[in-house]
Every structure is written in structure tokens, then in C-alpha cells.
């Protein structure tokens, strides 16, 4: 006989399996159970498709009546692209609803529960809540702030270098660590680099995992549209958007790269806060900033980031003339350093992945 936590873990495993493919919707899992017997499982496959509860209840058929449902997110109460799940649960005469976390979007939170309770259905919330909140961290952040969740990613030697004095950087971290980077690319809606990284590394910025994965939108900051069209990021393997200043020659660039979308600022330079607002309007809920150093410094200086993913290789490079991980100008005093909080340490092959979160004052 499984406990409530164990049934919820099954639903959470289903939700976790679709991370990266349901955006702009959250990843949700649901299981229908009666007298300790599993009657139906469901997960939301992609935005626009049926919700997790719909699949699980359909699989249970008529036996759903009087059954329990475990769902990782509060059942929806509004008509989006699909009818409200809360009303479906009432209609199918489910007896009890166990929920991992409410939808923190104030517009939604509690409405689903209210519909269930007013129909006399027993509701219990907060089961395995921590795990459920983590799964949809990007979605919840976007719903609450209407800004993308921003991850700064850097790979460096133990002494903080990202390339030698000649710009050589292949490779700092191991294939396992780079595979983890591609999992993060799959998870994020967009990936951003500066024009120098394109020129120095000619990266593809696509997701190349043995098991496949979704390509994020590639966003290139290039104030003067100085990049030529032969770079890999301009191939048609994934959508590419270039951000430029108001004085850049957009028409000329569009002639050489007709399939690349140009986001032209009304300011001479690229204003990051304006860009984040733009990306939110394009429904980009999560942004993976792969650098380089001057880009990272700009995001740090403007406090426009939520997490840092630092990959550290057991290598020592040395040299003032080697490229250090964060560029730009340093603050004058140590008291002006950006304070963050370490949240996880993970060994990946020979490398270390440190995740730190920005401390919100
Ligand atoms: N040089 C290293 C990295 N280098 C990161 C670069 O910014 C660029 O993303 C790479 O050239 C990857 O290119 P592509 O998009 O996969 O074609 N990143 C890492 O995690 N480890 C390293 O050793
Ligand atoms: N994916 C998901 C939910 N997602 C919720 O519904 C919204 C999307 O609605 P729609 O446009 O109709 O797909 C989404 O923003 C989120 O608040 N809700 C659920 O009950 N179960 C699910 O599986
Ligand atoms: Zn729903």
C-alpha cells in the first residue's frame, strides 16, 4: 500500500520527464488511484495538448468515480486552450484530490481548490511541495515577475580562467560536464551569447544530447550587427534572434541573413532590462546566458540574473593574460561585490558544478 508521498512521487516523476518540452506551460503529472490500485497515469506533453489530469482520468474510465487523484500542480480553473481540470474532476465524481503545489500565479492560485471544495471534494495540498516547486521554477518565476528566469553559465579552470592568452578553450570541462550543459540548454527557452563568443568560439548553441532534446532560441547581442552570415549560429538548425542598437543597419543584415530575426533597440546600446521585457513579451520564460565574460559582467552589474551555474575543472592555467571568467570593469571596493548564496554542489565526472542564487535584498 503506497503512502500519499509515494503516489505523489510517481506523479512528480511523470512531470519531471517532460521538463523542457511543455513551455510556455508548466510540466505536470497526475495519477488516479483507488483502494491502493493504480487506475490511470497522465502527464502534460506539450502546450495546447490535454492536461495531465485529463489523460489520467481518461485512462481510469468509469472507475474514476470515487477514486483519488494525485496531481503535481493545482488543477486549473480557467479556459485556456483546454477546459478547466477542476471542473472535470468534479464531473467525474473523484472523491479526494492530493496536490503537490498551488499555482503561485496570483491570478490562478486557489481557484482550482475552491471549485473542488465547493463541490464537496476532499483536498489536501503541499505533498512533496519542494520537489514540485523546483520542477516548474522557471514557469513560476515568469508568472510572478513577468520576466525570464535567468541562468548565467560559465565553465572555467579552478583558477577562474575560460581561455588561454591565445583564446584556446577546448576543452576546459569534461564531456560529462558539457553533456550537463546541453541538458540545461534543453530546459531553457533561449540561450544568449555576445558577438565576441560567436567570433572566438563559433558555437552552434544547439542542444546535442545522445537522447535528443529541444533547441533553445539562440539570442546574439551584436550592437552594430557586425557579425558575418557564415557563423554557425546563423544556420537554420534553430531559431536565431540578433539584438542590435538603433544605429545598426538592419536592412543590410536582413539581406545577408533573411531568416534571422532582428530585435532593434530604440537606444544606441543594448539596454538589458528593456531586452528582458521584450523577451517576456515573446514568451521566453527562461534564458541561459553562456557568456562571454563581458556579457556576464553586464548581467551581474545590473543584477539581472537568478542563478549562476559555474562549472569548474580540476585544472590550473595561471597567467594574467589568460581570459578570466567575468570581464568588464571591477567595482572599486569589495563591499560592492554581488552577494550570492551557494545552493548546490555536484560532481560531474572530474568537474564540479556549483549553483548559486542571487540574494534578493
Ligand atoms: N570551452 C568550454 C565551453 N565553452 C563555451 C563556449 O561559449 C561555446 O558555447 C562552446 O564553444 C560550445 O559550442 P557549441 O554551442 O556546443 O557548438 N563550455 C563548457 O561548458 N566547457 C568548456 O570547456
Ligand atoms: N499544464 C497543466 C496546467 N497548466 C496551467 O494551465 C495553463 C495553460 O492552460 P492551457 O492553455 O489550457 O493549456 C498554464 O498556464 C498553467 O497555469 N494545469 C493543469 O491543471 N494541468 C496541467 O497539466
Ligand atoms: Zn488543467
Amino acid at each position: 500500500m503506497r503512502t500519499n508521498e509515494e503516489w505523489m512521487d510517481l506523479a512528480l516523476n511523470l512531470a519531471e520527464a517532460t521538463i523542457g518540452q511543455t513551455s510556455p506551460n508548466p510540466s505536470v503529472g497526475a495519477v488516479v488511484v483507488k483502494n491502493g490500485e493504480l487506475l490511470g497515469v497522465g502527464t502534460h506533453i506539450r502546450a495546447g495538448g490535454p492536461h495531465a489530469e485529463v489523460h489520467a482520468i481518461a485512462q481510469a474510465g468509469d472507475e474514476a468515480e470515487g477514486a483519488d487523484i494525485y496531481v503535481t500542480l493545482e488543477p486549473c480553473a480557467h479556459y485556456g486552450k483546454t477546459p478547466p481540470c477542476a471542473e472535470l474532476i468534479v464531473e467525474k465524481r473523484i472523491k479526494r484530490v492530493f496536490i503537490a503545489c498551488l499555482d503561485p500565479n496570483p491570478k490562478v492560485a486557489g481557484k482550482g481548490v475552491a471549485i473542488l471544495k465547493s463541490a464537496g471534494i476532499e483536498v489536501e495540498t503541499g505533498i512533496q511541495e519542494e520537489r514540485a516547486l523546483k520542477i516548474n521554477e522557471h514557469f513560476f518565476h515568469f508568472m510572478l515577475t513577468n520576466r525570464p528566469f535567468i541562468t548565467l553559465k560559465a565553465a572555467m579552470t579552478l583558477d577562474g580562467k575560460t581561455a588561454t592568452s591565445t583564446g584556446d578553450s577546448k576543452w576546459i570541462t569534461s564531456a560529462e560536464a558539457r553533456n550537463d550543459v546541453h541538458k540545461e540548454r534543453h530546459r531553457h527557452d533561449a540561450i544568449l551569447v555576445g558577438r565576441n563568443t560567436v567570433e572566438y568560439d563559433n558555437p552552434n548553441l544547439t542542444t546535442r544530447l545522445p537522447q535528443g532534446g529541444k533547441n533553445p532560441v539562440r539570442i546574439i547581442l551584436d550592437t552594430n550587427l557586425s557579425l558575418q552570415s557564415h557563423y554557425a549560429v546563423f544556420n537554420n538548425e534553430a531559431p536565431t534572434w540578433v539584438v542590435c542598437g538603433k544605429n545598426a543597419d538592419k536592412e543590410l543584415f536582413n539581406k545577408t541573413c533573411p531568416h534571422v530575426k532582428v530585435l532593434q533597440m530604440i537606444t544606441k546600446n543594448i539596454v538589458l532590462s528593456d531586452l528582458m521585457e521584450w523577451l517576456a513579451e515573446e514568451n521566453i520564460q527562461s534564458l541561459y546566458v553562456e557568456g562571454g565574460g563581458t556579457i556576464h559582467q553586464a548581467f551581474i552589474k545590473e543584477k539581472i540574473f537568478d542563478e549562476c551555474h559555474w562549472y569548474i575543472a580540476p585544472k590550473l592555467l595561471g597567467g594574467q593574460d589568460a581570459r578570466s571568467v567575468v570581464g568588464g570593469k571591477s567595482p572599486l571596493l569589495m563591499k560592492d561585490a554581488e552577494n550570492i548564496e551557494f545552493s548546490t554542489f555536484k560532481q560531474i565526472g572530474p568537474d564540479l558544478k556549483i549553483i548559486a542564487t542571487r540574494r534578493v535584498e
Side-chain angles (χ1 to χ4, degrees):
M1 188 63 171
R2 289 181 176 212
T3 64
N4 286 343
E5 287 69 25
E6 284 164 339
W7 284 123
M8 189 60 80
D9 275 338
L10 179 56
L12 287 162
N13 292 344
L14 289 164
E16 235 159 41
T18 61
I19 285 179
Q21 67 183 67
T22 58
S23 189
N25 284 1
S27 297
V28 183
V31 296
V32 174
V33 175
K34 188 153 63 173
N35 306 325
E37 203 185 22
L38 181 60
L39 299 180
V41 296
T43 185
H44 184 51
I45 296 299
R46 69 178 89 269
H51 285 180
E53 302 91 317
V54 175
H55 287 302
I57 291 172
Q59 203 175 53
D62 298 342
E63 291 195 71
E65 182 164 353
D68 296 335
I69 187 167
Y70 294 81
V71 58
T72 61
L73 179 69
E74 175 186 6
C76 67
H78 68 289
Y79 280 83
K81 298 184 204 69
T82 59
C85 294
E87 291 180 9
L88 175 71
I89 290 169
V90 172
E91 183 199 318
K92 296 294 181 183
R93 307 163 72 79
I94 296 263
K95 185 161 148 264
R96 294 184 302 180
V97 178
F98 298 92
I99 297 168
C101 70
L102 297 181
D103 190 334
N105 174 356
K107 293 201 287 286
V108 179
K111 290 199 178 73
V113 169
I115 290 174
L116 298 172
K117 284 188 169 168
S118 63
I121 292 176
E122 210 182 304
V123 179
E124 195 177 323
T125 59
I127 299 163
Q128 307 295 58
E129 185 176 38
E130 273 310 298
R131 200 180 149 200
L133 289 169
K134 196 74 194 141
I135 288 174
N136 287 310
E137 186 177 24
H138 294 172
F139 172 77
F140 293 148
H141 173 89
F142 184 75
M143 283 295 142
L144 288 173
T145 64
N146 196 24
R147 289 288 178 280
F149 182 100
I150 297 164
T151 303
L152 304 184
K153 173 264 175 180
M156 65 208 76
T157 58
L158 183 60
D159 56 331
K161 312 291 185 189
T162 57
T164 65
S165 55
T166 64
D168 183 48
S169 64
K170 300 226 179 336
W171 288 98
I172 303 162
T173 55
S174 62
E176 299 99 306
R178 294 202 309 276
N179 188 65
D180 188 75
V181 168
H182 283 248
K183 287 180 187 165
E184 292 290 352
R185 290 182 177 184
H186 165 74
R187 175 166 191 173
H188 286 75
D189 289 346
I191 185 168
L192 183 148
V193 293
R195 52 119 21 249
N196 293 346
T197 294
V198 174
E199 191 178 333
Y200 301 154
D201 293 349
N202 190 23
N204 260 299
L205 300 181
T206 50
T207 299
R208 300 187 302 281
L209 290 165
Q211 64 274 28
K214 176 202 85 222
N215 288 330
V217 172
R218 298 177 294 194
I219 297 175
I220 315 294
L221 302 191
D222 187 1
T223 306
N224 305 314
L225 291 178
S226 59
L227 288 168
Q228 309 298 317
S229 56
H230 59 75
Y231 287 106
V233 284
F234 295 130
N235 66 30
N236 50 19
E237 285 176 32
T240 303
W241 304 349
V242 179
V243 186
C244 65
K246 74 173 183 184
N247 299 329
D249 188 342
K250 183 174 169 181
E251 281 59 48
L252 176 64
F253 181 83
N254 273 335
K255 278 202 195 78
T256 55
C257 291
H259 57 290
V260 172
K261 182 172 175 169
V262 177
L263 295 179
Q264 184 152 36
M265 291 263 149
I266 53 168
T267 47
K268 196 163 71 66
N269 292 318
I270 295 169
V271 177
L272 287 182
S273 52
D274 292 348
L275 176 57
M276 293 310 114
E277 218 173 296
W278 219 326
L279 295 182
E281 282 157 22
E282 299 283 343
N283 234 348
I284 298 291
Q285 297 189 354
S286 53
L287 178 67
Y288 194 61
V289 180
E290 269 223 41
T294 43
I295 299 293
H296 282 140
Q297 198 262 347
F299 276 82
I300 291 167
K301 186 159 160 275
E302 297 203 25
K303 301 181 185 302
I304 301 184
F305 70 97
D306 298 284
E307 263 182 6
C308 296
H309 290 191
W310 260 212
Y311 292 82
I312 300 174
K315 289 178 179 157
L316 293 167
L317 196 59
Q320 288 280 8
D321 51 352
R323 198 167 60 198
S324 66
V325 59
V326 178
K329 292 246 172 296
S330 101
L332 298 178
L333 302 172
M334 190 53 80
K335 74 172 183 55
D336 298 326
E338 180 63 29
N339 288 313
I340 49 180
E341 269 170 23
F342 289 135
S343 62
T344 61
F345 300 86
K346 189 176 166 197
Q347 173 112 22
I348 304 179
D351 305 307
L352 184 60
K353 178 183 185 182
I354 296 182
I355 295 183
T357 55
R358 186 166 67 82
R359 200 181 291 166
V360 185
E361 272 77 29

